[in-house]
Each structure stands twice: as C-alpha cells, then as structure tokens.
Amino acid sequence: MRRDWGLIRKIMTAIEEMPPGGVLRPDDLEAENPEIVSAHLVLLIEAGLVDGRCRQAGNAARCLAYRLTWDGHELLAGMRQRKVWNRVSGVIAERGLDLSYAAIKKVMLELI
C-alpha cells in the first residue's frame, strides 16, 4: 500500500473536528475503504501524529483514533492551507525528493 496524503489529510481533519473524548473509527469516513483508513491510521499512530490504538483483525488492523498529537496538529496546519501544501509539494518535486513525512516536515519548516 502506498501512502495517500489526501487520505491522510482527510483522516487528520476528521480527528481534529471530533469533540473532546470522541473516537474516529475507520468506517466513519464516508466513501473511504475502512481497511485502507485503518492501514493509514497505523502509520499515523506509529509516526506519533495520532493518539490511538490498533488491534489485529485477521489479515488487517482495526484502529481507533482519539486525538492528534502536537506534531499531528503542526503537520495538519501546513497541509490544510492549499497554497502552503502546493508550495511544499512543489519544492519537494523540484529537489527530486520523495513525498515523505521527513521531507514534508523539513520543507514546511523552511517555508514558515
């Protein structure tokens, strides 16, 4: 599975919009495959961007997300603004870098 930065942005936005004490389940995102949402939640939790937990359910993980971490809020702030996001992805492409979290974070800090 490849990371889908559009889906990541959608997941993180949904988590941010939850009321305090809320829980995001993979099937809460309309028009998205719950298994793919869970796979992305695993990555977000591992990266320390989302506070949540996962359990194995057969061949796939089933994840719940509780909140964004500080780093998650910082990343989403940059991703939310289309103008900033376009500049970040443009700089990354110019430099011939992969669209990785490390590259995104570095370029966002440079642009800010």
Side-chain angles (χ1 to χ4, degrees):
M1 176 198 80
R2 289 181 159 253
R3 284 180 297 197
D4 179 340
W5 286 101
L7 177 58
I8 288 170
R9 182 177 176 211
K10 187 174 182 178
I11 291 168
M12 292 177 72
T13 300
I15 295 168
E16 182 186 51
E17 292 174 351
M18 291 186 321
V23 176
L24 179 80
R25 291 167 180 79
D27 44 356
D28 289 344
L29 295 177
E30 292 182 23
E32 298 295 343
N33 180 323
E35 287 182 19
I36 294 174
V37 171
S38 263
H40 281 77
L41 281 170
V42 169
L43 297 173
L44 290 167
I45 291 166
E46 288 174 348
L49 300 171
V50 169
D51 181 25
R53 67 180 168 86
C54 301
R55 66 177 172 79
Q56 202 61 31
N59 292 335
R62 172 87 174 150
C63 298
L64 302 175
Y66 306 118
R67 64 179 188 86
L68 295 178
T69 63
W70 185 273
D71 284 342
H73 279 285
E74 293 291 307
L75 177 62
L76 183 58
M79 292 177 75
R80 178 182 293 114
Q81 299 174 28
R82 178 60 62 193
K83 189 175 179 181
V84 172
W85 182 246
N86 288 340
R87 285 187 65 201
V88 167
S89 54
V91 168
I92 289 170
E94 283 173 19
R95 295 181 185 174
L97 303 172
D98 289 329
L99 194 59
S100 68
Y101 173 56
I104 291 168
K105 189 173 174 180
K106 182 177 191 276
V107 172
M108 276 188 189
L109 288 173
E110 287 175 15
L111 292 177
I112 292 171

